[in-house]
C-alpha cells in the first residue's frame, strides 16, 4: 500500500497562499513542485513539526474520512 499524499488542494481549502507555501517548502527542504503537481507523502509535512503545516495533513485525512 502506498503512503497517503497531501496535495495543494488541501492547503487551498485552508486558505494558505502559494507564496507562504513555497517559503515553507524551501525552509524545510521539501519539493514544492512535487506537492503542487502530484502531492507528497504526508509524513514529510507532518515531521516538520509545524502546526500550521500539520493542518494540511489533517485536511487530507479528513478528505479520506479518517
Amino acid at each position: 500500500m502506498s503512503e497517503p499524499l497531501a496535495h495543494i488542494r488541501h492547503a487551498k481549502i485552508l486558505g494558505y497562499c502559494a507564496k507562504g507555501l513555497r517559503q515553507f517548502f524551501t525552509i524545510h527542504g521539501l519539493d514544492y513542485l512535487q506537492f503542487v503537481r502530484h502531492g507528497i507523502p504526508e509524513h514529510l509535512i507532518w515531521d516538520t513539526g509545524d502546526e500550521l503545516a500539520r493542518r494540511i495533513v489533517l485536511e487530507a485525512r479528513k478528505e479520506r474520512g479518517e
Side-chain angles (χ1 to χ4, degrees), residues 1 7-8 10 12 15 21 30-31 37 41 45 47 51 55-58 62 65:
M1 180 177 203
H7 297 269
I8 188 73
H10 303 121
K12 288 187 176 200
L21 286 167
L30 300 173
D31 188 338
R37 292 178 181 155
I45 294 174
D47 291 349
E51 287 303 316
R55 291 180 187 178
I56 296 170
V57 174
L58 295 174
K62 179 180 162 186

Side-chain angles (χ1 to χ4, degrees), residues 13-57:
I13 288 169
L14 297 167
Y16 293 176
C17 70
K19 182 179 179 181
L21 286 167
R22 279 193 299 273
Q23 276 185 321
F24 170 83
F25 275 73
T26 298
I27 289 167
H28 292 283
L30 300 173
D31 188 338
Y32 179 72
L33 289 179
Q34 178 71 23
F35 176 64
V36 171
R37 292 178 181 155
H38 308 289
I40 65 168
E42 290 177 359
H43 83 272
L44 295 176
I45 294 174
W46 191 266
D47 291 349
T48 66
D50 183 288
E51 287 303 316
L52 291 175
R54 284 181 170 185
R55 291 180 187 178
I56 296 170
V57 174

